[in-house]
Amino acid sequence: MRKHLKEAELTPVLRLGAGACAGIIAMSATYPMDMVRGRLTVQTEKSPRQYRGIFHALTTVLREEGPRSLYKGWLPSVIGVIPYVGLNFAVYESLKDWLIKSKALGLVDDNNELGVATRLACGAAAGTVGQTVAYPLDVIRRRMQMAGWKDAASVVTGDGKAKAALEYNGMVDAFRKTVRHEGFGALYKGLVPNSVKVVPSIAIAFVTYEMVKDILGVEMRISD
């Protein structure tokens, strides 16, 4: 027996939890590739270790640093993915539902649906919130991923003259040293260019998902 659709609606808290679980599983499954991508991105001609490609980077890290190195920075990533993915889902669905139920700003059409532009705006708002809240943890994750790469990089301290080696004992230590050497603003370095990429991609992903769902005639129901 099917429950009434209104009873089957997910609350913002359930949406947050569902999105967070999905994000943790996806992130954990692809994390080694993300770590390798980070190293390939920052290496230069002067880097002591030259990775020739993805496979070479993976095998080199495994051989020289051990399997655990492929998951450096995993903890802040897990903590960060909860507000990031969770808030994306929660804000998008809640904002969309509010607009439909309140019929605010005349954005709802005759079929009680939102247009593509409005859905994109909802997705962009969700992406902005999730990205801003979770970004400091993403910065720490990147720095921890680079920490095992001996002498590969260094960070400039707040005075712009001295340098501090990227040596962290864990997530808390990485936060502490980053803020101490570079100030609180360092936790948001690169937020704007990253948002230029991430926010539109989240908006497009949500709208594409809903359009495909409509084309396939799929609608979520919760049964007893």
Side-chain angles (χ1 to χ4, degrees):
M1 179 179 178
R2 302 282 185 182
K3 287 185 177 181
H4 191 275
L5 181 58
K6 182 174 280 190
E7 296 176 356
E9 289 181 350
L10 296 176
T11 65
V13 174
L14 288 176
R15 288 170 179 157
L16 181 66
C21 289
I24 290 172
I25 293 171
M27 183 273 299
S28 297
T30 60
Y31 194 81
M33 300 303 296
D34 183 70
M35 192 279 286
V36 167
R37 176 178 67 93
R39 294 208 177 180
L40 288 170
T41 300
V42 302
Q43 77 173 6
T44 66
E45 293 181 357
K46 296 181 180 180
S47 297
R49 168 61 63 191
Q50 293 292 322
Y51 298 126
R52 297 190 296 270
I54 295 175
F55 181 74
H56 180 250
L58 281 171
T59 55
T60 302
V61 171
L62 280 171
R63 183 177 65 254
E64 297 184 354
E65 302 173 43
R68 292 183 62 181
S69 296
L70 293 176
Y71 283 90
K72 279 186 175 180
W74 180 83
L75 181 58
S77 296
V78 168
I79 297 174
V81 83
I82 295 174
Y84 177 61
V85 180
L87 282 172
N88 284 344
F89 277 94
V91 172
Y92 176 76
E93 292 292 344
S94 298
L95 184 58
K96 189 182 70 171
D97 287 351
W98 175 74
L99 287 173
I100 291 176
K101 291 176 181 177
S102 66
K103 301 188 183 302
L105 306 176
L107 298 174
V108 181
D109 60 25
D110 295 336
N111 296 320
N112 204 36
E113 293 288 344
L114 298 175
V116 173
T118 303
R119 291 183 183 182
L120 282 171
C122 291
T128 300
V129 173
Q131 167 81 352
T132 302
V133 171
Y135 194 76
L137 286 158
D138 189 60
V139 170
I140 295 303
R141 170 181 62 125
R142 294 293 182 193
R143 297 200 168 195
M144 290 180 70
Q145 286 177 344
M146 298 301 108
W149 195 7
K150 188 178 184 298
D151 300 324
S154 60
V155 293
V156 179
T157 57
D159 59 10
K161 299 177 181 178
K163 289 189 175 183
L166 287 173
E167 295 294 337
Y168 305 128
N169 296 322
M171 182 181 70
V172 175
D173 185 54
F175 265 110
R176 180 172 57 83
K177 288 181 178 177
T178 298
V179 173
R180 184 180 68 200
H181 289 299
E182 302 171 74
F184 185 79
L187 296 176
Y188 283 93
K189 280 184 176 180
L191 175 63
V192 173
N194 199 67
S195 296
V196 171
K197 177 196 73 169
V198 171
V199 171
S201 69
I202 292 172
I204 293 171
F206 274 124
V207 173
T208 302
Y209 164 74
E210 294 217 20
M211 291 179 68
V212 172
K213 189 176 69 173
D214 291 341
I215 292 172
L216 296 176
V218 176
E219 184 59 50
M220 185 181 72
R221 295 288 185 273
I222 301 177
S223 59
D224 288 326

